[in-house]
Amino acid sequence: MALFLRIAQSDEAAFRQLFERHKVRFYATALKLTRSPVLAEEIVQEIFLTIWLKRSLLPDIEKPESYLITMVYNSVSKYFRKLAIEKKMREEIAGSPAENNQEVENWLDAKESQQLILAAINKLPTQQQLIYKLSRESGLSREEIAGQLGISPNTVRNHLQEAMKNIRLYLQQATGLSAILFIINS
């Protein structure tokens, strides 16, 4: 409980302590349930990112250990729900008339592009990854990110620029094409 209170006060050392204490167990649980090392690692990263982003809620948690384990199981469950939805969509697409082939190809291309972008994001250094996700996925402004992380808006801008550069480079190397780059130019 004391660790949660320290994290709620933006104590990065306390957060690192929580991470070191639980990362192996979270990974083992996620790996056991998903049977995918890559997915298990993503789930663990997502859990700790969520903990940090929602740290202001931590003092209200009465049973920290139960809360953390529930986060792991909920994250895995979320993955399986997403997988079921994708499977259902594939089945529906497979049963559609031939005239929808272009739509199917577009959907598959978009899905591949999204997976490449996620892989590129996961390769970013921790700070760039966090700032990129706060900006692009959470929709926060540079000033809001700066306030949350206790850094200057210019530092946020610099990290975002570097993140975009790194993502473009990764995509270019992964695909050998520059056409995909329009996806992340936002």
Side-chain angles (χ1 to χ4, degrees), residues 40-108:
E41 190 173 309
E42 285 179 24
I43 287 171
V44 171
Q45 286 179 358
E46 192 63 37
I47 289 168
F48 282 104
L49 178 63
T50 301
I51 289 170
W52 184 254
L53 293 176
K54 296 184 177 184
R55 64 189 176 275
S56 63
L57 304 174
L58 293 178
D60 298 331
I61 307 299
E62 293 179 18
K63 298 179 182 177
E65 290 298 318
S66 298
Y67 175 77
L68 293 171
I69 291 299
T70 301
M71 284 186 76
V72 175
Y73 284 102
N74 286 345
S75 294
V76 171
S77 177
K78 179 180 166 186
Y79 164 74
F80 283 121
R81 280 193 305 275
K82 180 180 170 189
L83 201 61
I85 290 169
E86 287 177 6
K87 181 181 178 192
K88 184 177 178 183
M89 286 177 67
R90 278 192 208 105
E91 289 171 355
E92 287 177 8
I93 290 171
S96 65
E99 62 202 32
N100 289 332
N101 282 345
Q102 185 62 43
E103 289 179 35
V104 172
E105 286 182 34
N106 290 344
W107 182 79
L108 291 173

Side-chain angles (χ1 to χ4, degrees), residues 98-161:
E99 62 202 32
N100 289 332
N101 282 345
Q102 185 62 43
E103 289 179 35
V104 172
E105 286 182 34
N106 290 344
W107 182 79
L108 291 173
D109 287 344
K111 191 72 176 157
E112 283 179 32
S113 297
Q114 182 182 15
Q115 288 174 341
L116 275 172
I117 292 169
L118 285 174
I121 293 168
N122 288 333
K123 295 273 186 196
L124 293 174
T126 307
Q127 187 77 345
Q128 284 181 20
Q129 193 177 115
L130 177 61
I131 290 172
Y132 180 88
K133 286 182 177 183
L134 288 171
S135 172
R136 298 302 193 257
E137 294 174 13
S138 299
L140 298 180
S141 69
R142 278 190 275 173
E143 290 73 22
E144 291 170 324
I145 296 169
Q148 262 195 10
L149 300 179
I151 57 178
S152 77
N154 286 337
T155 302
V156 171
R157 184 195 67 218
N158 293 341
H159 278 297
L160 273 174
Q161 287 174 343

Side-chain angles (χ1 to χ4, degrees), residues 163-178:
M164 296 300 286
K165 183 175 118 188
N166 290 334
I167 291 170
R168 283 188 198 101
L169 181 63
Y170 178 89
L171 293 175
Q172 207 165 16
Q173 291 171 346
T175 63
L177 303 171
S178 58

